[in-house]
């Protein structure tokens, strides 16, 4: 049993559907929620990086989180993306998530301002002490220019309501190092890198917070179930079918490709907010090929 026992398996880093004018498309959001529940997604992450947290203002961010919780209606957990590079902004977003009924929050390391490890520790400690809701750390140095080291994760794991880590480094050696420091704890470890997610779980991780899950939730749920049960052969077989999506959903910055794929599937409109833009035409056919390989098109 891990410290974050209600969270695990195939969790989706959900897109925020938008109309072509950039306004939030709540009807499509409700349809996506049902799509994921019907296809065995185990939890929804609302307004993370894939949900365009960087381009929603505070009011919109809070509204999308709360309405997602309402749409889900307690059927699966909702984890709200509430990280920011200002500690006080992260506290306000985390309060919004708590008031909106989220089950937990996902807090990305502060981006751009590049705090030292002691600053990362103080930042997350302050948020956890200020807002009493389960919190999952999120380390994605490729986007943030900030790398939370395993020793800092270990220190933060001692805080009661910091319950897990989403590791998007794609470094399985980092997983082993983190596991060794967290031995004999109940701290949850989740992959944030689809390409290595299956192996991450086969090596003892509890789940994956996935971009691919947006497009192929049923296959991702089956792959995660196999990996978590230790069935390497089945997990790798399913994952092979998804490998094209794992790579081609990052042909341009996420969520550009995944939003285009969902539009291609007829699930959302093509809306996305600047400075992001609709997927470049040269990538349409490579992504369609991956979608056909994954049997979603």
């Amino acid at each position: 049993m891990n410290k974050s026992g209600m969270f695990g398996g195939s969790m989706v880093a959900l897109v925020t559907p938008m109309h072509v004018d950039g306004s939030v498309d709540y009807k499509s959001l409700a349809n996506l929620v049902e799509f994921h529940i019907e296809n065995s997604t185990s939890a929804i992450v609302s307004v993370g990086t894939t949900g365009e947290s960087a381009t929603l203002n505070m009011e919109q961010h809070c509204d999308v989180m709360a309405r997602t919780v309402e749409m889900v209606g307690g059927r699966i957990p909702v984890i709200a993306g509430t990280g920011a590079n200002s500690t006080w902004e992260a506290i306000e977003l985390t309060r919004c998530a708590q008031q909106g009924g989220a089950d937990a929050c996902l807090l990305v390391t502060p981006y751009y301002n590049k705090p030292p490890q002691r600053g990362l520790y103080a930042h997350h400690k302050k948020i956890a002490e200020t807002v009493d809701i389960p919190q999952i750390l999120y380390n994605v140095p490729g986007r943030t220019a900030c790398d939370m080291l395993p020793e800092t994760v270990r220190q933060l794991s001692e805080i009661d309501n910091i319950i897990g880590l989403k590791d998007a480094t794609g470094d399985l050696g980092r997983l082993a190092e983190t596991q060794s420091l967290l031995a004999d704890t109940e701290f949850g470890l989740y992959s944030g890198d689809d390409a290595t997610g299956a192996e991450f779980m086969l090596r003892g991780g509890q789940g994956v917070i996935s971009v691919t899950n947006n497009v192929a939730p049923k296959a991702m749920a089956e792959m995660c179930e196999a990996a978590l049960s230790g069935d390497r052969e089945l997990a790798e077989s399913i994952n092979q079918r998804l490998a094209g999506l794992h790579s081609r959903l990052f042909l341009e910055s996420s969520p550009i490709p995944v939003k285009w794929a969902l539009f291609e599937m007829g699930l959302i409109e093509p809306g996305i907010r600047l400075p992001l833009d609709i997927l470049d035409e040269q990538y349409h056919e490579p992504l369609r090929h991956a979608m056909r390989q994954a049997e979603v098109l």
Side-chain angles (χ1 to χ4, degrees), residues 34-46:
E34 296 307 316
F35 175 62
H36 282 286
I37 291 172
E38 288 165 9
N39 285 283
S40 302
T41 294
S42 59
I44 287 174
V45 174
S46 174

Side-chain angles (χ1 to χ4, degrees), residues 158-215:
E158 297 171 2
I159 298 170
D160 284 347
N161 60 325
I162 296 181
I163 63 168
L165 167 71
K166 175 185 176 183
D167 181 348
T169 63
D171 181 353
L172 294 168
R174 175 69 69 91
L175 169 64
E177 184 181 355
T178 306
Q179 286 172 317
S180 69
L181 287 171
L182 293 168
D184 304 320
T185 75
E186 298 179 339
F187 198 73
L189 294 175
Y190 310 110
S191 172
D193 177 65
D194 278 309
T196 57
E199 188 62 31
F200 188 101
M201 289 180 285
L202 287 163
R203 296 189 187 191
Q206 282 81 40
V208 58
I209 296 174
S210 166
V211 174
T212 297
N213 190 321
N214 279 280
V215 177

Side-chain angles (χ1 to χ4, degrees), residues 249-276:
L249 287 174
F250 297 92
L251 284 166
E252 291 191 305
S253 295
S254 187
I256 291 172
V258 70
K259 286 195 117 177
W260 183 87
L262 290 168
F263 169 64
E264 190 77 353
M265 294 167 70
L267 292 171
I268 64 172
E269 293 183 31
I272 194 165
R273 287 193 181 180
L274 292 170
L276 302 182

Side-chain angles (χ1 to χ4, degrees), residues 5-295:
M6 73 183 294
F7 309 109
S10 182
M11 299 175 278
V12 63
L14 192 67
V15 303
T16 300
M18 294 173 184
H19 298 292
V20 290
D21 65 359
S23 60
V24 177
D25 180 356
Y26 286 103
K27 181 178 179 182
S28 291
L29 179 60
N31 290 338
L32 287 181
V33 165
E34 296 307 316
F35 175 62
H36 282 286
I37 291 172
E38 288 165 9
N39 285 283
S40 302
T41 294
S42 59
I44 287 174
V45 174
S46 174
V47 202
T49 306
T50 311
E52 293 177 78
S53 56
T55 57
L56 295 179
N57 66 32
M58 182 79 73
E59 182 181 357
Q60 293 163 341
H61 194 135
C62 291
D63 193 43
V64 173
M65 292 188 297
R67 290 178 70 167
T68 300
V69 169
E70 185 181 335
M71 291 166 184
V72 170
R75 291 173 288 175
I76 57 175
V78 176
I79 303 166
T82 60
N85 63 347
S86 157
T87 303
W88 308 112
E89 183 179 341
I91 286 170
E92 286 306 304
L93 286 169
T94 304
R95 281 187 176 131
C96 273
Q98 183 185 50
Q99 291 163 2
D103 297 288
C105 291
L106 179 69
L107 290 119
V108 70
T109 53
Y111 39 85
Y112 187 75
N113 46 19
K114 300 173 73 171
Q117 296 300 306
R118 66 182 183 277
L120 286 178
Y121 175 80
H123 169 83
H124 285 287
K125 181 173 184 284
K126 183 69 173 178
I127 300 164
E129 290 176 346
T130 305
V131 190
D132 185 20
I133 187 172
Q135 296 175 26
I136 299 170
L137 309 170
Y138 176 18
N139 190 37
V140 56
R143 276 192 179 263
T144 62
C146 174
D147 188 5
M148 181 182 288
L149 299 179
E151 178 59 32
T152 305
V153 175
R154 186 201 63 77
Q155 291 176 301
L156 287 166
S157 74
E158 297 171 2
I159 298 170
D160 284 347
N161 60 325
I162 296 181
I163 63 168
L165 167 71
K166 175 185 176 183
D167 181 348
T169 63
D171 181 353
L172 294 168
R174 175 69 69 91
L175 169 64
E177 184 181 355
T178 306
Q179 286 172 317
S180 69
L181 287 171
L182 293 168
D184 304 320
T185 75
E186 298 179 339
F187 198 73
L189 294 175
Y190 310 110
S191 172
D193 177 65
D194 278 309
T196 57
E199 188 62 31
F200 188 101
M201 289 180 285
L202 287 163
R203 296 189 187 191
Q206 282 81 40
V208 58
I209 296 174
S210 166
V211 174
T212 297
N213 190 321
N214 279 280
V215 177
K218 190 172 195 293
M220 280 296 297
E222 291 169 352
M223 185 275 285
C224 289
E225 183 180 5
L228 291 171
S229 68
D231 189 337
R232 177 176 288 276
E233 184 178 358
L234 179 57
E236 289 181 345
S237 172
I238 299 169
N239 199 53
Q240 185 58 39
R241 200 167 82 234
L242 297 169
L245 286 178
H246 295 338
S247 63
R248 290 175 188 168
L249 287 174
F250 297 92
L251 284 166
E252 291 191 305
S253 295
S254 187
I256 291 172
V258 70
K259 286 195 117 177
W260 183 87
L262 290 168
F263 169 64
E264 190 77 353
M265 294 167 70
L267 292 171
I268 64 172
E269 293 183 31
I272 194 165
R273 287 193 181 180
L274 292 170
L276 302 182
D277 197 5
I278 294 170
L279 185 68
D280 192 285
E281 190 172 350
Q282 66 177 310
Y283 300 124
H284 290 189
E285 193 49 42
L287 184 46
R288 282 194 191 103
H289 178 75
M291 294 168 71
R292 288 191 288 266
Q293 185 182 42
E295 301 173 8

